[in-house]
Amino acid sequence: MFLHTSIRTSNMDESLGFYTKHFGLVVTSRREIPQNDAEIAFLQDQEGRGAKLELTFYRKQTQFTQPDYENRLFDHLAFEVKDMAKTIAVMRSQGVTITDEPFRLSKEGSLIAFVEDPDGTLIELIERK
């Protein structure tokens, strides 16, 4: 069973705000990990149905850079949204980087777009038909 995906953050509070505000995730736990001077937080959808997202903040990490798109090993997270136009408009008004404007892979396919979280993690938005 798939349990969670962990991504690093340079600012735990900023990332928690981003994922709770834009995707409606709720924090299910948040705690210190003294063994490696870190803090972790788990988030999940409000119904508790999907896999969890773990945010990890390593206090000693000094660089938080994403490689260029072609050189990334981790590709993206994906979230379903109910209203793509509204979601993109709100994100744009709040300074979220929109890397790919909404488009369809096929005439009948879902509407998708790509944005970045505060640390540059790529996120796919999917509006299903």
Side-chain angles (χ1 to χ4, degrees):
M1 174 189 331
F2 182 71
L3 298 176
H4 71 267
T5 297
S6 178
I7 58 173
R8 293 184 184 197
T9 179
S10 63
N11 183 314
M12 182 64 80
D13 291 328
E14 183 178 27
S15 289
L16 287 171
F18 177 85
Y19 286 99
T20 57
K21 179 190 302 182
H22 293 296
F23 301 110
L25 299 181
V26 294
V27 178
T28 60
S29 69
R30 182 176 179 177
R31 64 187 172 105
E32 295 291 324
I33 308 294
Q35 297 87 337
N36 56 9
D37 196 18
E39 179 183 10
I40 62 172
F42 285 91
L43 299 99
Q44 192 172 30
D45 63 79
Q46 294 179 5
E47 294 81 27
R49 294 178 302 154
K52 292 182 180 180
L53 174 63
E54 177 185 0
L55 299 176
T56 304
F57 172 59
Y58 291 100
R59 288 183 176 78
K60 293 179 183 170
Q61 185 172 351
T62 58
Q63 290 187 328
F64 291 90
T65 57
Q66 293 285 357
D68 290 336
Y69 183 79
E70 297 80 17
N71 296 319
R72 291 183 181 198
L73 293 177
F74 180 80
D75 199 67
H76 67 275
L77 301 172
F79 289 92
E80 185 172 356
V81 298
K82 302 248 186 262
D83 184 331
M84 182 70 75
K86 181 179 177 183
T87 300
I88 289 291
V90 168
M91 288 181 161
R92 190 181 317 280
S93 74
Q94 295 177 1
V96 174
T97 300
I98 313 298
T99 62
D100 296 85
E101 295 292 336
F103 66 97
R104 295 185 194 280
L105 293 174
S106 68
K107 190 175 180 179
E108 294 82 28
S110 297
L111 187 62
I112 64 174
F114 286 88
V115 301
E116 289 182 348
D117 82 355
D119 288 300
T121 300
L122 195 61
I123 299 170
E124 180 179 9
L125 308 177
I126 304 170
E127 179 187 299
R128 299 183 194 273
K129 279 191 142 186

